[in-house]
Amino acid sequence: MGQLSAGKRLVMVLVLSAALITAGCAGGKESARPGSGTGTGEPQKVVLNGAGASFPFPIYSLWFTEYNKLHPNIQINYQSIGSGGGQKAIIEKTVDFGASDAPMTDERLKEAPGKLLHIPTVMGAVVLTYNLPGVGTGLRLTPEVIAGVYLGKIKKWNDPAMTRENPGAKLPGKDIVVVHRSDGSGTTNIFTAYLSAVSPEWKSRVGSGTSVGWPTGVGAKGNEGVTTQVQQTEGAIGYVELAYAVENKLGYALVKNRAGKFVEPSIDSVTAAAGAAQNIPEDYRIMIVDQPGDNAYPISGFTWLLIYAQQSDLAKGRALLELLQWALTDGENMVSRLLYAPLPANVQDMVQKTLKTVTYQGQPILK
């Protein structure tokens, strides 16, 4: 499947998403009791509100639009505000589900008024994207170069460390404009976890997390903001989810992995990274950066929906779980359209069992 066609599909998805949000705002009254219907024989209307990661926004937009077509009485509104915002929103219960590319820490989980579950949905690649006229996709970057750029130690595109691996590229003597996220970000968490894994200096000076003290660069909000900043700034480099680079026709790099191979971010190379991970934990909180294997893309990650194990509204709880069941089956068949990798089959089975543990007033919602 060509990358350009994937980009066009992404644009369509975003347009459809906007239409869905508008439709959701104009929706009718929400019922509090499950199965009660409207008294007219029509299905009960349920509105689900979610917020969080921008990394999976394209696929979530597609899923929610398609699910609404199948179930017009179920409307899902999603705000792409970043993983930090998603975690905060679900803790404060201002949304029905949160979304994050960063697993919540034990300390963060304790802030929630109830038990929160991490539900993995898809996997994706964080790519180094750049704006260098005449240099397309395929620039070869080593871990040392990536860390050096983001530490502010490599400042020019024609630095010897850069040109050594790219002898055929016409790299200019321009300053490198480093772009990073300004908001709490799961994409940042994946990227800085990778940098911490490959660079002892980065690990000791900066570390990993959804927000870090960046040694250099300019900040932008969301994958959307970083993409725009790179797109508008000649000589810029940033990190975004793969679909954002493709949709905006920006070049992105091949990254040298632990096996010493330069690997292109793709569905197959992200799947290879996940396959190399040992023993998916029961709570699904796992990072898959810098995995072994010739084909493993080293800046890969899961993304999760965050939901309460005990739902306080049965109608919403049932709608949310049924949506997730659909996402794990029919929905997974759509993810490659937008360059995400589907969950491994064993993880899909694990998640289906987890969904059946979610309760309302002590009773499982799904039978």
Side-chain angles (χ1 to χ4, degrees), residues 215-246:
T216 189
V218 295
K221 189 175 182 180
N223 273 273
E224 301 91 337
V226 171
T227 302
T228 300
Q229 187 73 37
V230 171
Q231 201 170 29
Q232 295 178 347
T233 310
E234 189 172 319
I237 186 170
Y239 59 91
V240 295
E241 202 282 329
L242 173 60
Y244 288 87
V246 172

Side-chain angles (χ1 to χ4, degrees), residues 58-134:
I59 186 62
Y60 287 175
S61 297
L62 176 60
W63 279 354
F64 300 159
T65 300
E66 293 300 317
Y67 195 75
N68 180 253
K69 291 177 183 175
L70 296 170
H71 305 277
N73 60 312
I74 308 295
Q75 295 186 341
I76 308 109
N77 303 321
Y78 183 74
Q79 296 181 56
S80 172
I81 60 173
S83 296
Q87 292 185 11
K88 182 174 185 291
I90 192 65
I91 288 173
E92 296 177 349
K93 286 194 162 184
T94 57
V95 292
D96 301 307
F97 64 91
S100 179
D101 314 319
M104 295 177 69
T105 63
D106 290 344
E107 292 73 22
R108 195 79 167 128
L109 286 170
K110 289 177 182 174
E111 296 176 25
K115 181 181 179 181
L116 277 172
L117 301 176
H118 288 67
I119 305 297
T121 52
V122 295
M123 304 177 296
V126 176
V127 306
L128 276 304
T129 186
Y130 42 84
N131 180 348
L132 286 176

Side-chain angles (χ1 to χ4, degrees), residues 296-321:
Y297 182 70
I299 322 179
S300 300
F302 283 93
T303 189
W304 300 267
L305 285 194
L306 307 170
I307 67 172
Y308 280 100
Q310 296 182 40
Q311 294 286 307
S312 57
D313 182 307
L314 181 53
K316 287 194 172 192
R318 177 173 289 130
L320 179 57
L321 295 177

Side-chain angles (χ1 to χ4, degrees), residues 151-225:
L151 284 167
K153 300 171 74 173
I154 296 177
K155 299 179 182 297
K156 299 285 187 180
W157 280 104
N158 64 351
D159 186 284
M162 191 78 78
T163 58
R164 189 178 303 122
E165 299 291 351
N166 299 280
K170 296 181 179 178
L171 295 174
K174 295 179 67 68
D175 288 342
I176 299 174
V177 180
V178 173
V179 184
H180 56 72
R181 291 282 290 271
S182 60
D183 53 330
S185 160
T187 309
T188 294
N189 186 65
I190 295 170
F191 184 57
T192 56
Y194 163 74
L195 289 173
S196 294
V198 301
S199 169
E201 181 177 357
W202 182 276
K203 185 176 182 180
S204 64
R205 284 183 54 189
V206 184
S208 62
T210 54
S211 297
V212 298
W214 295 97
T216 189
V218 295
K221 189 175 182 180
N223 273 273
E224 301 91 337

